[in-house]
Amino acid sequence: MGNLLTIRDLSLEAGPRTDPKRILDRFDLDLDRGEVLGLVGESGAGKSSAGLAAMGFTRDGVRIAGGRIEFDGTDLARASQSALRRLHGRRIAYVAQSAAASFNPAHRLIDQFAEGPVLHGTADTATAHEDARALYRQMQLPNPDEIGFRYPHEVSGGQLQRAMTAMAMACRPDLIIFDEPTTALDVTTQIEVLGAMRDITERYGTAAIYITHDLAVVSQMADRITVMRHGREIETAPTPRILESPQEDYTRSLWAVRSIRKPDATGAAEPILTLEATSAHYRSFRALDGIDFTLARGRTTAVVGESGSGKSTLAKVIAGLMAPSEGRVLWNGAPLAGDHGKRTRAQLRDIQMIYQMADTALNPRHTVRETLDRPVSLFTNLKGKARRARVRELMELIELDPDEFLDRRIPELSGGQKQRIGIARALAAEPKFIICDEITSALDQIVAEGILKLLIRLQQELGLTYMFITHDLATVEAIADEVMVMKNGKIVESGPRARIFEAPQEPYTKRLLASVPQMDAGWLDRARRDAAEAKSAEAPA
Amino acid sequence: MKRFTGFTSPSRRGFLAGTAAAGMTLGLGLTPARAAEPQKGGTLRVGFTQGSTSDSLDPATYSNDFMFATSYAVFSTLVEIAPDGSAKPDLAESYEATPDAATWTFRLRDDATFSDGKTVTANDVVASVRHHMGDQSKSGVKPLLAQITDIKADGDKVVVFTLQSGNADFPFIFNDYHLTIRQDQGDGTIDPDTRIGTGGYVIEAFEPGVRIELARRDDYWKEGAAHFDKVLILKVGDAAARMNALMTGEVDLIDRPDLKTIHMLERNRDLRIHTQNGTLHYTMPMHVTTAPFDDVNVRLALKHAIDREAIVQKVLKGYGTVGNDHPIASSMPFYNADLEQHAYDPDKAKHYLGKAGLDSLEVTLHTADAAFNGAVDASVLFSEAAKAAGISVNVAREPDDGYWSNVWLQKPFCTSYWGGRPTPDLMFSAGYAADADWNATKWQNERFNELLLDARAELDESLRAEMYGEMQMLCQTDGGALIPAFGQYVSAMNTRVAMPEKVSEMWDLDSQRFIERWWFA
Amino acid sequence: MTLLRTAPPTAIFGMLVLAATLLTGIFAPLVAPYGETEIVGAEYLPWSAEYPLGTDNLGRDMLSRMIYGARNTVGLALLTTGIAFGLGAALGMFAALKGGWVDQILSRAIDVVMAVPPLILALMLLAIIGPSIPNMVGVIAVIYLAPVYRLSRAAAMNVVSLDFVDAAKLRGEGTLWLLRREILPNISSTLVAEAGLRFCFVFLFIAALSFLGIGIQPPTADWGSMVKENATLITFGDVTPLIPAGAIALLTVSINFIADWMLHRASGLKS
Amino acid sequence: MTRLQKLILSRLALGILTLFVVSALMFVGIELLPGDLAQQILGQSATPDTLRAFRAELGLDQPPHTRYLDWLSGVVQGDFGQSLASGRKVSDLLGTRLANTMFLAAYAAVIAVPVAVTLGLLAALWRNSIFDRAANIGALSAISMPEFFVAYLLIMLFSIKFGWFPTLARLDTATGLGDALYVTFLPALTLIMVVIAHMMRMTRAAIINVLASPYIEMARLKGVPRWRVVLKHALPNALAPIINVIALNLAYLIVGVVVVEVVFSYPGLGQLLVDAVASRDFPVVQAVGLFFAGTYILLNVAADILSILSNPRLRHGR
């Protein structure tokens, strides 16, 4: 064991030296040649820092406080900058989370590919270009001979991620660090990327550290899995064993989050919101294309689709942030103005929205109290003491301690806490209908789970109607009564949750459902096969 | 002298070329270098403060030193003011008047030629003078020519002017830089942009507001004049830049050096400061028709409440002399030296206030540095000094732009200046006569106006002296103009520049005739 | 005070200089040995115990003039910068928030202001309305409002697209609230950092106006004018003008140290 | 028509509109100025009679809008009219001045731009090093001194103390390019010192901003050396702000150098404009004003276009 990479007692620190924050705490790791190790944990667990440390690299402000990083006999923790530079890209390569951000927008893909080999002297430019085409082909990129001559912005996200993996392979390194490489991708794209990555590492026998928060994904990729929390190793074991019999409580809790199910809705429901032949345009681009549907009071409707399918535009149109170019929106049977400025205060109050990014949805310069007090004062007649009491009550509704949190500023909260404040702010208006726009996609699974449970509870207590926009089908399964599948601004299929999940009619829906990662070992191969078939079936669409 | 003795210490010697010893040059401007005999040769390079891109050769538009000097160098006048203050024939060979001084006959020189070789004729003179007359004229000299009822060419070389009434000082008018002579185009008009003149120099290059290059005419008809081979006048508006250029030897002569640092310039033994008196004076006209200035005692109180010495010292940095509330400079003919000098005397001022039946007085003085450089400081000094006499002078600062149209002649008490005139008659007629356009005080003294007319037509010098003496007295005691100081002209040059023993003191730089009168030693 | 503890030495130096300048300015009459325009002795007296920096061309105490200059110059520059930033930021944020034709009209108007050379614009405007101190402050504020507008509009554009602004709009918040409570706090650090540099430019602009004779008028003590008044001395090797010029440079550098640090902190907060 | 062409056209159209507004505003400004050309030229010696004659000759007695429209119709036909004050054609008047201004601006720019960008790059490369700090303090000191003062300092050193360079930048004495460069060295140096600081700081800031991008980390993790990271990976992506600040400073070099022109008695457009405003010579003010505004607008458009060309995302727009 550990004949390629051995990390022992590694500690990383950040912040002032007098009061340092531990990012990694006496962390150990062993990796064989050709082995793939999965690093799993929530955000802030130190996964990325550990991955970068495996290259002997720390981000600005982070320093190595102790320990060794032995790569093939060299201690990277003590190696000189030039020694590290000779290793980077050549023997240890890195694949970043967002290929769109990690490719230099000013250079063509193939030039960025060739830069490493030429610098390291493993190839001249012509050879490198030839090799690039070969690797692009192996990564199953379309037009492998010419795609390299495009600029990053001209290539889609999934293709970029594969091109980046190809770039990492350029010097045929001994080790690749994959840092959440598919997190930013749609599920359907993810399958192709994962498959290509796995193929190429297997083909060249490259060892890899695969960092992710998605258990299902890591179970497809890794030989062994290390679970991390708070910069420490919790548990390490071969993949099948850790899936079947996790030893630690924390590991078990990670496994358990996929278990909520909302009770099935019963009885007929009256309509609350109706869209009639609604279309919306961004200049000439038709983002919504003749949408017709009715939402039922007290129910949760999930709107599912890949990015660009028109989900968020739909939310904007309903909220009044974007006027529809055709059709109309009816609220309780009455037409709703397209522009929020022309809606009545009661209408504004009735329809609230919770946003995907809690970071940008809450003004970072305000305190929690200011954030909640404002809608309370605007939408209710409460004054003075009653208003203060209402703010505290809202905090209790979202299960945060008023005394502890009310006077904190937004940046001092964690992601989940911010999202709860976002919910509280919506609730402050005492709405009837809440649009939830991808509200859990930026959260870790355990946290997301808490939010979903909270929403279910609130719905039952307050009789709210939700429209739940998401691309995560697991979330849909957990919370939705009705499901609506969107693609290219149109509704592909809609119906009760059970029917959609159990008997999808449309090929696109089928493919979408099949793309959801499963923990069983054979899922990835199966899904790649299915996806290929489904894609050919829906090709005319 | 100033701090930083290290500047002249041996270790720093040579910091400025030729500054070496700290020996001070002698009294200001008293010892200009003089070569026994003027010599020909050399290129005189001059740095001038004024000069504008809007300058043109049209004599009707001359408005700054740059063009005055150019005008005198390239063109000539019928008459020039000699260093002794008299009117000396120039293009004219002689002039004479009828006994009533109302008809003047000018005989032109036979040898005077234009730079294109043509001789000067009477028609040229008539056309040149007419250029400034008539409804269409925009010339600054137009008011002075209004007295002419007729101009006639009498043959080729004689011009006869007929005036409305007698004017003994009439020839002095023809020293005016506007009235330089151009060729008649044959139709009684001149080409305003012509470069063909009768002066000692021809224009080689002219960039308005930048520079003019002059070259001496080999066929210049005047003896003992135009010594420099070439002359270059540069507009160098910034005082520091002018002084730098003089110090580095890029120019030989500058006008208006920065008075703040002139003491530093004096240390340079290669340089010389030249000062000369002039007719330039600073005034504070009061409208005698407006209360409280309509009371002569109030006027006298104010005239005694101003500290003239302080203004000369602080505002003019010593480059000036105190004024005596009349506009006649000591260098001018008929100057009345017997008048008692008005001086700062708060008690006397109070006395006059009492005579006016007042305990205290509050007046507003409108001012701007557009009136003259330092006008605001002078006003502030006045205000400080007048407090002792129980007079509060509120200094109201006006915008520089539009000062002459919005303040001067409009506000009852303001600051102003006069460049001066060569004779008392011209001075008084321009600014003090009852009907003068620029009677800035609206003063209507009967005796004064009567004397003005009489003296003008009088050809007897001693009688005139008496009359002008009385007019100066009337102006001083009864007039509305508070004239605290006469300015001196200051220039700086390198020691090669030489000039005659006595220079004309009306305007700066030998009354702007330095180009043809000065030389390199 | 943790703020001060984390400040780098340059920023601390900057704050000390700024504080000293402000205090000197505020308490000028108490600190200065002589009056602002008081003529205390002969002209150009050398440095001495009595006149620590000597006297100037009119025999006024240089040190006292410097001290009053701190009040006039810094006060004016602060006031002008303040107005330019207040108005410029307000308009810029407004344009970013409203977009559409409001943005177009404002932006084009600002284009026009920026297309005229600032010195010429100041020259003309001051000639039209007269060169008093309030007018000068107004004119310079208008001129410097333009770049501030651009900056704040660009910065506000980034904020306006954020969800919390949408959320506020959906609450039915008024424009004033959106500007003041939602946008301004999020662009203030950018503005503050820019204000440092702009403050210096205003400072220098006033000095340039003084140079051309339309700035702060004598006898008011002002560092820029003092440099100008004594500038000719420098060619004679006299260091007098270096005193006010040095004061300007010191203050400028100090303010920029502070601004750099604030910018650094602001960028640190973002990540 | 490509997107780029469309953008250039629309920006130019907008620029012409802005020019028109600027000219109208300048005209109104001159109208509002106290006094007119006749008053300014005749000064204290003006009498009502001469003023009237002068105004009639210049056409100043016409109503303002008539004069403006006359002028405008001339301009549209390429005739900028005559200087009211000297009667010379405005185009002649501008000719040498324009050449002088452009010469000095080009001189300063050719030196200042590469030096500033290089210094900025080095400061970013060796961030927080002694060099960085020294460059930063130097730059701040340079921008914190009034430019006329910088000029006087240079004159004291190079003209008066060492006697190396003339204090009057007289292009008319220059016989060749070398000579011209020599006589205008001090004004050029003054301008260089003034603009370098700004451009350098901006270059450094832009590079440092880009250095925080993920693709920079990626490049470093590929083993790319630091200097190459800055030059090859950061610089191309920081070009837009750098180009913008260069454009701004070029505009300043052409438009904002009145003070330097005064100190060195350099006959450039700035002084011409100040003179023309002072004498209310409206056609000259308009011509120079329009040239300045046009320069500013053109440089801005050029900066926009170059920014786009430097950015493949915009260049190969979707």
Side-chain angles (χ1 to χ4, degrees), chain A residues 66-119:
Chain A
R68 288 179 297 130
I69 308 160
E70 271 184 28
F71 175 81
D72 206 17
T74 314
D75 185 358
L76 302 186
R78 278 158 201 85
S80 70
Q81 281 302 313
S82 57
L84 284 176
R85 256 203 311 271
R86 280 193 294 277
L87 286 177
H88 288 162
R90 180 170 181 185
R91 300 201 56 201
I92 316 176
Y94 181 74
V95 175
Q97 171 170 357
S98 165
S102 298
F103 267 116
N104 192 323
H107 302 302
R108 294 176 305 185
L109 295 181
I110 204 157
D111 295 332
Q112 303 195 50
F113 179 100
E115 186 176 24
V118 172
L119 267 177

Side-chain angles (χ1 to χ4, degrees), chain D residues 142-214:
Chain D
I143 39 180
S144 61
M145 273 201 277
E147 52 185 335
F148 60 84
F149 191 66
V150 173
Y152 286 142
L153 277 177
L154 294 177
I155 288 178
M156 180 195 74
L157 269 179
F158 295 116
S159 291
I160 294 176
K161 186 165 179 181
F162 301 129
W164 292 344
F165 295 97
T167 66
L168 299 180
R170 290 184 53 207
L171 269 185
D172 57 277
T173 60
T175 47
L177 178 65
D179 217 16
L181 292 178
Y182 169 72
V183 296
T184 53
F185 179 72
L186 288 185
L189 185 59
T190 309
L191 290 175
I192 288 168
M193 292 188 63
V194 172
V195 295
I196 266 189
H198 197 200
M199 289 191 285
M200 185 207 108
R201 274 174 71 86
M202 205 47 149
T203 305
R204 176 183 178 275
I207 296 280
I208 284 177
N209 196 18
V210 170
L211 284 179
S213 311

